[in-house]
Amino acid sequence: MRLHQLIHTNRRVMDPCVEQTPLFTFGVIADVQYADIDDGYNYTRTRRRFYRSSLRLLANALRSWSEPAGPAFILQLGDLIDGFNKPRDASEVALRAVLEQFGGGAPRVHHVWGNHEFYNFSRAELLRSRLSGRAGPGPPARPDLHAYHFSPRPGFRFVVLDAYDVSVLGREESSEEHSSALSLLRLHNHNTDLNCPPASGGLKERFTKFNGGFGKDQLAWLDSVLSSADESQEKVTLVSHLPAHPGSTEPVCLAWNYDELLALIRSHGSVVCYMAGHAHDGGYCRDEDTGVHHLTLDGVIETPPDSDAFATVSVYTDRMLLKGSGRVTDRVFKFPCFQYNGPSPTG
Ligand code: ZN
């Protein structure tokens, strides 16, 4: 089936045959990019950005999730406050404003880190902040990374990935990590302004300063987490700021080494879904090789004040139903058939 047919299929209303109570639900929201400034435009001046209104749209989402039978947890897919929050005091005021909306109690919020987190704070500051999470069993990917996993219910696992592990953002200019990331970026991007995509176009457009990638240690850690999930026959959803499938976004928003991550995902039967933000128009594709669903969620920041941009996902044994609000499209994520050729869990 071709991509456009798959997209069309997923835009149909929810499957009426599915009436069982979900095992659990969770909320998802992306790219709030709040700043107490007048409306503006994106980098290419093609999309309006509603900086103040985004806080109210976040509040709309949280209100809908505040019911007693609300979601078990919330996934915030990154870029919570905008890089325009300057000077430093403004970053802290803006962060306080959005975190006040989330409140201090249930449901638990898992914050993914995007490029705008690093425009406002250093990696060390983020690790000490309320945007940091360490929820899962076992060690994190590496102490300086924001990558961990958790299981909200037996049989299901969520993995938060750090897409700015290899990036010039969030790394001290004097560090080896910064210089190697800059070398990689300059290898593919010869512009003076590295926020401007390479002129060659196509998939190379991802090599911009506002993107990043996943380092070897993080990929090795993910490989081991997914191997364990394969053996336990868990269904795994990966979440990160940067999309990892060319069919789910524009090339300019892809992770630098999306291809390595995709190859890793394809080598494990446990992955059912990958969720990202960053590309404010959203996107979706189902990977033809594996049936894994790749969702890029529409960004709050470019959503008109009279609309909304969030989703509530109901999880069943064989699928997830994403109910979109405002401009987010409803989708059905049927789980791909589990294919595992390793040792038996009981063997
Ligand atoms: Zn972003």
Side-chain angles (χ1 to χ4, degrees):
M1 191 182 283
R2 293 196 168 278
L3 177 61
H4 72 274
Q5 290 173 304
L6 287 165
I7 291 170
H8 179 74
T9 301
N10 260 284
R11 281 183 178 156
R12 286 183 200 153
V13 291
M14 296 302 183
D15 186 345
C17 297
V18 178
E19 291 176 350
Q20 56 181 307
T21 306
L23 300 170
F24 64 95
T25 65
F26 65 93
V28 59
I29 191 164
D31 297 273
V32 175
Q33 286 186 224
Y34 169 67
D36 186 12
I37 59 174
D38 293 341
D39 293 348
Y41 287 89
N42 61 345
Y43 188 71
T44 52
R45 299 194 64 78
T46 53
R47 294 279 193 281
R48 195 170 175 86
R49 292 188 168 180
F50 306 93
Y51 292 105
R52 286 198 185 92
S53 152
S54 69
L55 192 64
R56 198 169 48 74
L57 267 54
L58 171 64
N60 291 347
L62 293 166
R63 195 179 314 111
S64 89
W65 293 328
S66 66
E67 302 296 323
F73 59 92
I74 294 165
L75 300 175
Q76 188 277 108
L77 298 177
D79 286 357
L80 188 55
I81 64 171
D82 195 90
F84 276 133
N85 286 294
K86 297 288 178 223
R88 175 50 195 263
D89 286 357
S91 297
E92 289 175 358
V93 169
L95 182 61
R96 229 174 2 251
V98 291
L99 291 179
E100 273 173 17
Q101 298 291 327
F102 283 105
R108 167 81 191 262
V109 185
H110 295 274
H111 296 284
V112 172
W113 294 356
N115 47 313
H116 283 263
E117 271 65 53
F118 295 108
Y119 298 151
N120 286 281
F121 304 106
S122 70
R123 180 169 279 273
E125 287 168 331
L126 288 169
L127 283 166
R128 292 192 300 268
S129 76
R130 276 180 60 192
L131 299 181
S132 182
R134 288 278 185 272
R142 221 174 53 197
D144 65 324
L145 297 181
H146 190 238
Y148 63 92
H149 57 101
F150 64 96
S151 173
R153 183 184 172 100
F156 293 88
R157 189 163 300 281
F158 288 74
V159 185
V160 174
L161 294 174
D162 192 330
Y164 290 87
D165 176 357
V166 179
S167 177
V168 296
L169 301 178
R171 297 293 184 188
E172 296 291 333
E173 285 190 21
S174 58
S175 68
E176 166 60 27
E177 287 95 341
H178 186 277
S179 62
S180 61
L182 188 58
S183 298
L184 176 62
L185 182 54
R186 285 191 170 142
L187 186 67
H188 299 284
N189 188 331
H190 304 135
N191 294 321
T192 308
D193 178 0
L194 291 170
N195 278 315
C196 189
S200 54
L203 289 170
K204 285 268 186 187
E205 286 190 359
R206 69 188 188 276
F207 288 102
T208 66
K209 193 177 176 181
F210 52 77
N211 291 334
F214 309 91
K216 289 196 184 327
D217 288 348
Q218 188 175 184
L219 292 176
W221 169 84
L222 178 62
D223 192 26
S224 75
V225 171
L226 295 181
S227 292
S228 170
D230 289 346
E231 288 179 23
S232 307
Q233 301 206 358
E234 292 178 326
K235 292 176 173 59
V236 178
T237 295
L238 307 176
V239 294
S240 189
H241 187 61
L242 299 181
H245 197 298
S248 69
T249 188
E250 298 297 317
V252 72
C253 289
L254 277 172
W256 286 354
N257 59 339
Y258 79 88
D259 44 351
E260 282 186 271
L261 182 57
L262 261 190
L264 180 57
I265 292 171
R266 287 169 175 161
S267 72
H268 291 278
S270 50
V271 182
V272 296
C273 188
Y274 181 99
M275 293 185 176
H278 195 50
H280 300 160
D281 284 342
Y284 168 80
C285 78
R286 180 174 169 274
D287 184 59
E288 286 188 5
D289 290 353
T290 58
V292 173
H293 302 275
H294 286 259
L295 174 75
T296 305
L297 196 71
D298 312 66
V300 170
I301 183 63
E302 291 175 18
T303 302
D306 61 353
S307 186
D308 269 314
F310 65 93
T312 306
V313 183
S314 299
V315 182
Y316 299 84
T317 53
D318 65 341
R319 71 189 67 195
M320 298 198 288
L321 301 186
L322 183 142
K323 177 70 186 137
S325 292
R327 67 180 181 131
V328 177
T329 304
D330 291 351
R331 296 185 190 279
V332 180
F333 300 149
K334 285 189 180 171
F335 295 148
C337 293
F338 192 89
Q339 292 181 332
Y340 175 60
N341 300 317
S344 158
T346 55

mmCIF file of all heavy atoms in Angstrom, residues 51-87:
data_model
loop_
_atom_site.group_PDB
_atom_site.id
_atom_site.type_symbol
_atom_site.label_atom_id
_atom_site.label_comp_id
_atom_site.label_asym_id
_atom_site.label_seq_id
_atom_site.Cartn_x
_atom_site.Cartn_y
_atom_site.Cartn_z
ATOM 1 N N TYR A 51 2.894 32.968 20.296
ATOM 2 C CA TYR A 51 3.739 32.726 21.474
ATOM 3 C C TYR A 51 2.986 32.784 22.800
ATOM 4 O O TYR A 51 3.220 31.980 23.686
ATOM 5 C CB TYR A 51 4.902 33.721 21.504
ATOM 6 C CG TYR A 51 5.892 33.488 20.387
ATOM 7 C CD1 TYR A 51 5.939 34.332 19.281
ATOM 8 C CD2 TYR A 51 6.774 32.417 20.434
ATOM 9 C CE1 TYR A 51 6.841 34.112 18.258
ATOM 10 C CE2 TYR A 51 7.683 32.185 19.416
ATOM 11 C CZ TYR A 51 7.708 33.035 18.324
ATOM 12 O OH TYR A 51 8.595 32.808 17.308
ATOM 13 N N ARG A 52 2.099 33.776 22.961
ATOM 14 C CA ARG A 52 1.364 33.880 24.248
ATOM 15 C C ARG A 52 0.222 32.879 24.308
ATOM 16 O O ARG A 52 -0.010 32.256 25.333
ATOM 17 C CB ARG A 52 0.810 35.297 24.435
ATOM 18 C CG ARG A 52 1.859 36.324 24.781
ATOM 19 C CD ARG A 52 1.239 37.584 25.377
ATOM 20 N NE ARG A 52 2.273 38.583 25.581
ATOM 21 C CZ ARG A 52 2.608 39.519 24.688
ATOM 22 N NH1 ARG A 52 1.963 39.605 23.532
ATOM 23 N NH2 ARG A 52 3.575 40.371 24.943
ATOM 24 N N SER A 53 -0.481 32.733 23.213
ATOM 25 C CA SER A 53 -1.644 31.853 23.187
ATOM 26 C C SER A 53 -1.274 30.396 23.462
ATOM 27 O O SER A 53 -2.099 29.596 23.911
ATOM 28 C CB SER A 53 -2.322 32.011 21.827
ATOM 29 O OG SER A 53 -2.989 30.880 21.442
ATOM 30 N N SER A 54 -0.008 30.030 23.202
ATOM 31 C CA SER A 54 0.392 28.626 23.383
ATOM 32 C C SER A 54 0.221 28.175 24.834
ATOM 33 O O SER A 54 -0.059 27.005 25.095
ATOM 34 C CB SER A 54 1.835 28.403 22.923
ATOM 35 O OG SER A 54 2.729 29.056 23.789
ATOM 36 N N LEU A 55 0.363 29.104 25.775
ATOM 37 C CA LEU A 55 0.198 28.749 27.192
ATOM 38 C C LEU A 55 -1.255 28.346 27.470
ATOM 39 O O LEU A 55 -1.524 27.408 28.219
ATOM 40 C CB LEU A 55 0.607 29.927 28.078
ATOM 41 C CG LEU A 55 0.764 29.634 29.564
ATOM 42 C CD1 LEU A 55 1.894 28.640 29.815
ATOM 43 C CD2 LEU A 55 1.026 30.922 30.342
ATOM 44 N N ARG A 56 -2.184 29.062 26.841
ATOM 45 C CA ARG A 56 -3.607 28.758 27.032
ATOM 46 C C ARG A 56 -3.966 27.427 26.365
ATOM 47 O O ARG A 56 -4.761 26.646 26.891
ATOM 48 C CB ARG A 56 -4.476 29.894 26.475
ATOM 49 C CG ARG A 56 -5.911 29.883 26.990
ATOM 50 C CD ARG A 56 -6.631 31.163 26.637
ATOM 51 N NE ARG A 56 -6.449 31.527 25.238
ATOM 52 C CZ ARG A 56 -7.041 30.909 24.217
ATOM 53 N NH1 ARG A 56 -7.863 29.903 24.442
ATOM 54 N NH2 ARG A 56 -6.818 31.296 22.979
ATOM 55 N N LEU A 57 -3.356 27.164 25.218
ATOM 56 C CA LEU A 57 -3.612 25.878 24.551
ATOM 57 C C LEU A 57 -3.047 24.711 25.364
ATOM 58 O O LEU A 57 -3.636 23.622 25.389
ATOM 59 C CB LEU A 57 -3.040 25.882 23.127
ATOM 60 C CG LEU A 57 -4.017 26.317 22.023
ATOM 61 C CD1 LEU A 57 -4.648 27.659 22.303
ATOM 62 C CD2 LEU A 57 -3.360 26.304 20.657
ATOM 63 N N LEU A 58 -1.916 24.951 26.018
ATOM 64 C CA LEU A 58 -1.386 23.924 26.943
ATOM 65 C C LEU A 58 -2.386 23.698 28.073
ATOM 66 O O LEU A 58 -2.683 22.546 28.443
ATOM 67 C CB LEU A 58 -0.031 24.364 27.504
ATOM 68 C CG LEU A 58 0.533 23.500 28.646
ATOM 69 C CD1 LEU A 58 0.842 22.075 28.172
ATOM 70 C CD2 LEU A 58 1.798 24.146 29.231
ATOM 71 N N ALA A 59 -2.934 24.799 28.609
ATOM 72 C CA ALA A 59 -3.920 24.695 29.696
ATOM 73 C C ALA A 59 -5.159 23.929 29.232
ATOM 74 O O ALA A 59 -5.724 23.125 29.991
ATOM 75 C CB ALA A 59 -4.299 26.090 30.197
ATOM 76 N N ASN A 60 -5.573 24.152 27.981
ATOM 77 C CA ASN A 60 -6.726 23.401 27.446
ATOM 78 C C ASN A 60 -6.465 21.898 27.497
ATOM 79 O O ASN A 60 -7.337 21.112 27.886
ATOM 80 C CB ASN A 60 -6.989 23.783 25.982
ATOM 81 C CG ASN A 60 -7.507 25.194 25.821
ATOM 82 O OD1 ASN A 60 -7.896 25.827 26.800
ATOM 83 N ND2 ASN A 60 -7.481 25.702 24.593
ATOM 84 N N ALA A 61 -5.253 21.511 27.070
ATOM 85 C CA ALA A 61 -4.907 20.082 27.058
ATOM 86 C C ALA A 61 -4.918 19.525 28.477
ATOM 87 O O ALA A 61 -5.508 18.474 28.744
ATOM 88 C CB ALA A 61 -3.530 19.892 26.421
ATOM 89 N N LEU A 62 -4.290 20.254 29.390
ATOM 90 C CA LEU A 62 -4.191 19.758 30.768
ATOM 91 C C LEU A 62 -5.554 19.682 31.437
ATOM 92 O O LEU A 62 -5.818 18.779 32.237
ATOM 93 C CB LEU A 62 -3.222 20.645 31.557
ATOM 94 C CG LEU A 62 -1.768 20.532 31.066
ATOM 95 C CD1 LEU A 62 -0.916 21.652 31.632
ATOM 96 C CD2 LEU A 62 -1.186 19.171 31.428
ATOM 97 N N ARG A 63 -6.446 20.615 31.086
ATOM 98 C CA ARG A 63 -7.806 20.578 31.637
ATOM 99 C C ARG A 63 -8.517 19.306 31.166
ATOM 100 O O ARG A 63 -9.187 18.628 31.929
ATOM 101 C CB ARG A 63 -8.591 21.821 31.202
ATOM 102 C CG ARG A 63 -9.855 22.043 32.017
ATOM 103 C CD ARG A 63 -10.595 23.304 31.582
ATOM 104 N NE ARG A 63 -9.735 24.456 31.405
ATOM 105 C CZ ARG A 63 -9.446 25.034 30.242
ATOM 106 N NH1 ARG A 63 -9.992 24.582 29.130
ATOM 107 N NH2 ARG A 63 -8.649 26.080 30.175
ATOM 108 N N SER A 64 -8.335 18.976 29.890
ATOM 109 C CA SER A 64 -9.017 17.788 29.359
ATOM 110 C C SER A 64 -8.452 16.506 29.985
ATOM 111 O O SER A 64 -9.109 15.467 29.990
ATOM 112 C CB SER A 64 -8.904 17.730 27.843
ATOM 113 O OG SER A 64 -7.741 17.053 27.452
ATOM 114 N N TRP A 65 -7.212 16.576 30.482
ATOM 115 C CA TRP A 65 -6.587 15.391 31.089
ATOM 116 C C TRP A 65 -6.760 15.357 32.609
ATOM 117 O O TRP A 65 -6.205 14.477 33.277
ATOM 118 C CB TRP A 65 -5.087 15.359 30.766
ATOM 119 C CG TRP A 65 -4.782 15.149 29.313
ATOM 120 C CD1 TRP A 65 -5.506 14.418 28.413
ATOM 121 C CD2 TRP A 65 -3.653 15.675 28.576
ATOM 122 N NE1 TRP A 65 -4.917 14.454 27.169
ATOM 123 C CE2 TRP A 65 -3.775 15.213 27.238
ATOM 124 C CE3 TRP A 65 -2.564 16.481 28.910
ATOM 125 C CZ2 TRP A 65 -2.844 15.539 26.248
ATOM 126 C CZ3 TRP A 65 -1.640 16.800 27.923
ATOM 127 C CH2 TRP A 65 -1.786 16.339 26.605
ATOM 128 N N SER A 66 -7.492 16.307 33.164
ATOM 129 C CA SER A 66 -7.577 16.402 34.626
ATOM 130 C C SER A 66 -8.756 15.626 35.200
ATOM 131 O O SER A 66 -8.976 15.637 36.409
ATOM 132 C CB SER A 66 -7.674 17.874 35.048
ATOM 133 O OG SER A 66 -8.898 18.408 34.584
ATOM 134 N N GLU A 67 -9.525 14.958 34.339
ATOM 135 C CA GLU A 67 -10.665 14.169 34.822
ATOM 136 C C GLU A 67 -10.164 13.039 35.725
ATOM 137 O O GLU A 67 -9.028 12.580 35.573
ATOM 138 C CB GLU A 67 -11.423 13.559 33.633
ATOM 139 C CG GLU A 67 -11.951 14.583 32.635
ATOM 140 C CD GLU A 67 -12.985 15.506 33.242
ATOM 141 O OE1 GLU A 67 -13.782 15.013 34.059
ATOM 142 O OE2 GLU A 67 -12.978 16.704 32.926
ATOM 143 N N PRO A 68 -11.011 12.564 36.629
ATOM 144 C CA PRO A 68 -10.584 11.471 37.525
ATOM 145 C C PRO A 68 -10.087 10.243 36.763
ATOM 146 O O PRO A 68 -9.137 9.592 37.178
ATOM 147 C CB PRO A 68 -11.862 11.148 38.312
ATOM 148 C CG PRO A 68 -12.662 12.408 38.267
ATOM 149 C CD PRO A 68 -12.355 13.068 36.953
ATOM 150 N N ALA A 69 -10.747 9.949 35.634
ATOM 151 C CA ALA A 69 -10.304 8.798 34.836
ATOM 152 C C ALA A 69 -9.356 9.261 33.733
ATOM 153 O O ALA A 69 -9.393 8.763 32.611
ATOM 154 C CB ALA A 69 -11.507 8.090 34.229
ATOM 155 N N GLY A 70 -8.524 10.223 34.052
ATOM 156 C CA GLY A 70 -7.631 10.811 33.058
ATOM 157 C C GLY A 70 -6.456 9.905 32.730
ATOM 158 O O GLY A 70 -6.373 8.765 33.202
ATOM 159 N N PRO A 71 -5.533 10.408 31.916
ATOM 160 C CA PRO A 71 -4.421 9.577 31.454
ATOM 161 C C PRO A 71 -3.474 9.183 32.578
ATOM 162 O O PRO A 71 -3.348 9.882 33.595
ATOM 163 C CB PRO A 71 -3.715 10.474 30.432
ATOM 164 C CG PRO A 71 -4.104 11.861 30.798
ATOM 165 C CD PRO A 71 -5.473 11.779 31.386
ATOM 166 N N ALA A 72 -2.801 8.047 32.367
ATOM 167 C CA ALA A 72 -1.835 7.545 33.348
ATOM 168 C C ALA A 72 -0.598 8.430 33.391
ATOM 169 O O ALA A 72 0.063 8.548 34.418
ATOM 170 C CB ALA A 72 -1.453 6.106 32.996
ATOM 171 N N PHE A 73 -0.267 9.038 32.250
ATOM 172 C CA PHE A 73 0.900 9.924 32.181
ATOM 173 C C PHE A 73 0.786 10.784 30.934
ATOM 174 O O PHE A 73 -0.091 10.565 30.076
ATOM 175 C CB PHE A 73 2.214 9.114 32.168
ATOM 176 C CG PHE A 73 2.323 8.149 31.018
ATOM 177 C CD1 PHE A 73 2.921 8.517 29.822
ATOM 178 C CD2 PHE A 73 1.808 6.862 31.137
ATOM 179 C CE1 PHE A 73 3.007 7.618 28.759
ATOM 180 C CE2 PHE A 73 1.893 5.961 30.076
ATOM 181 C CZ PHE A 73 2.494 6.342 28.894
ATOM 182 N N ILE A 74 1.666 11.776 30.861
ATOM 183 C CA ILE A 74 1.679 12.700 29.722
ATOM 184 C C ILE A 74 3.071 12.684 29.096
ATOM 185 O O ILE A 74 4.080 12.695 29.815
ATOM 186 C CB ILE A 74 1.332 14.129 30.185
ATOM 187 C CG1 ILE A 74 -0.122 14.187 30.682
ATOM 188 C CG2 ILE A 74 1.555 15.149 29.066
ATOM 189 C CD1 ILE A 74 -0.441 15.446 31.474
ATOM 190 N N LEU A 75 3.110 12.673 27.759
ATOM 191 C CA LEU A 75 4.372 12.809 27.037
ATOM 192 C C LEU A 75 4.431 14.221 26.454
ATOM 193 O O LEU A 75 3.571 14.594 25.643
ATOM 194 C CB LEU A 75 4.456 11.789 25.902
ATOM 195 C CG LEU A 75 4.385 10.304 26.290
ATOM 196 C CD1 LEU A 75 4.355 9.433 25.033
ATOM 197 C CD2 LEU A 75 5.549 9.925 27.188
ATOM 198 N N GLN A 76 5.409 15.001 26.884
ATOM 199 C CA GLN A 76 5.624 16.348 26.354
ATOM 200 C C GLN A 76 6.853 16.236 25.441
ATOM 201 O O GLN A 76 7.951 15.960 25.905
ATOM 202 C CB GLN A 76 5.845 17.308 27.535
ATOM 203 C CG GLN A 76 5.902 18.785 27.170
ATOM 204 C CD GLN A 76 7.287 19.202 26.696
ATOM 205 O OE1 GLN A 76 7.496 19.450 25.494
ATOM 206 N NE2 GLN A 76 8.223 19.283 27.604
ATOM 207 N N LEU A 77 6.637 16.410 24.140
ATOM 208 C CA LEU A 77 7.641 16.009 23.149
ATOM 209 C C LEU A 77 8.708 17.060 22.845
ATOM 210 O O LEU A 77 9.404 16.965 21.840
ATOM 211 C CB LEU A 77 6.932 15.561 21.854
ATOM 212 C CG LEU A 77 6.019 14.347 22.019
ATOM 213 C CD1 LEU A 77 5.307 14.010 20.711
ATOM 214 C CD2 LEU A 77 6.784 13.143 22.525
ATOM 215 N N GLY A 78 8.856 18.061 23.699
ATOM 216 C CA GLY A 78 9.992 18.975 23.588
ATOM 217 C C GLY A 78 9.648 20.344 23.064
ATOM 218 O O GLY A 78 8.570 20.599 22.537
ATOM 219 N N ASP A 79 10.612 21.282 23.254
ATOM 220 C CA ASP A 79 10.436 22.700 22.921
ATOM 221 C C ASP A 79 9.289 23.301 23.744
ATOM 222 O O ASP A 79 8.349 23.891 23.208
ATOM 223 C CB ASP A 79 10.193 22.899 21.412
ATOM 224 C CG ASP A 79 11.457 22.698 20.591
ATOM 225 O OD1 ASP A 79 12.528 22.463 21.175
ATOM 226 O OD2 ASP A 79 11.367 22.794 19.353
ATOM 227 N N LEU A 80 9.403 23.169 25.049
ATOM 228 C CA LEU A 80 8.338 23.637 25.943
ATOM 229 C C LEU A 80 8.304 25.162 26.010
ATOM 230 O O LEU A 80 7.228 25.756 26.054
ATOM 231 C CB LEU A 80 8.558 23.035 27.337
ATOM 232 C CG LEU A 80 7.479 23.229 28.379
ATOM 233 C CD1 LEU A 80 6.125 22.741 27.878
ATOM 234 C CD2 LEU A 80 7.849 22.497 29.669
ATOM 235 N N ILE A 81 9.474 25.803 26.056
ATOM 236 C CA ILE A 81 9.507 27.278 25.976
ATOM 237 C C ILE A 81 10.408 27.687 24.826
ATOM 238 O O ILE A 81 11.312 26.946 24.431
ATOM 239 C CB ILE A 81 9.972 27.933 27.311
ATOM 240 C CG1 ILE A 81 11.413 27.555 27.655
ATOM 241 C CG2 ILE A 81 9.024 27.559 28.450
ATOM 242 C CD1 ILE A 81 11.966 28.347 28.837
ATOM 243 N N ASP A 82 10.146 28.887 24.284
ATOM 244 C CA ASP A 82 10.834 29.300 23.055
ATOM 245 C C ASP A 82 12.198 29.930 23.333
ATOM 246 O O ASP A 82 12.430 30.515 24.404
ATOM 247 C CB ASP A 82 9.955 30.310 22.309
ATOM 248 C CG ASP A 82 10.411 30.497 20.882
ATOM 249 O OD1 ASP A 82 9.936 29.755 20.000
ATOM 250 O OD2 ASP A 82 11.283 31.376 20.648
ATOM 251 N N GLY A 83 13.072 29.839 22.335
ATOM 252 C CA GLY A 83 14.393 30.441 22.442
ATOM 253 C C GLY A 83 14.370 31.956 22.509
ATOM 254 O O GLY A 83 15.389 32.585 22.840
ATOM 255 N N PHE A 84 13.248 32.568 22.200
ATOM 256 C CA PHE A 84 13.130 34.036 22.291
ATOM 257 C C PHE A 84 13.035 34.526 23.735
ATOM 258 O O PHE A 84 12.999 35.733 23.960
ATOM 259 C CB PHE A 84 11.917 34.535 21.510
ATOM 260 C CG PHE A 84 12.187 34.721 20.043
ATOM 261 C CD1 PHE A 84 11.296 34.222 19.093
ATOM 262 C CD2 PHE A 84 13.311 35.405 19.594
ATOM 263 C CE1 PHE A 84 11.536 34.385 17.741
ATOM 264 C CE2 PHE A 84 13.558 35.573 18.248
ATOM 265 C CZ PHE A 84 12.673 35.059 17.317
ATOM 266 N N ASN A 85 12.956 33.604 24.690
ATOM 267 C CA ASN A 85 12.932 34.012 26.103
ATOM 268 C C ASN A 85 14.334 34.483 26.500
ATOM 269 O O ASN A 85 15.168 33.701 26.949
ATOM 270 C CB ASN A 85 12.482 32.839 26.981
ATOM 271 C CG ASN A 85 10.993 32.584 26.862
ATOM 272 O OD1 ASN A 85 10.172 33.410 27.268
ATOM 273 N ND2 ASN A 85 10.639 31.456 26.269
ATOM 274 N N LYS A 86 14.619 35.755 26.323
ATOM 275 C CA LYS A 86 15.924 36.337 26.646
ATOM 276 C C LYS A 86 15.692 37.637 27.415
ATOM 277 O O LYS A 86 14.703 38.327 27.155
ATOM 278 C CB LYS A 86 16.714 36.631 25.366
ATOM 279 C CG LYS A 86 17.056 35.401 24.549
ATOM 280 C CD LYS A 86 18.120 34.565 25.203
ATOM 281 C CE LYS A 86 18.393 33.309 24.365
ATOM 282 N NZ LYS A 86 18.528 32.106 25.111
ATOM 283 N N PRO A 87 16.538 38.059 28.350
ATOM 284 C CA PRO A 87 17.742 37.336 28.774
ATOM 285 C C PRO A 87 17.396 36.146 29.659
ATOM 286 O O PRO A 87 16.238 35.717 29.720
ATOM 287 C CB PRO A 87 18.516 38.402 29.555
ATOM 288 C CG PRO A 87 17.435 39.266 30.141
ATOM 289 C CD PRO A 87 16.355 39.306 29.088
#
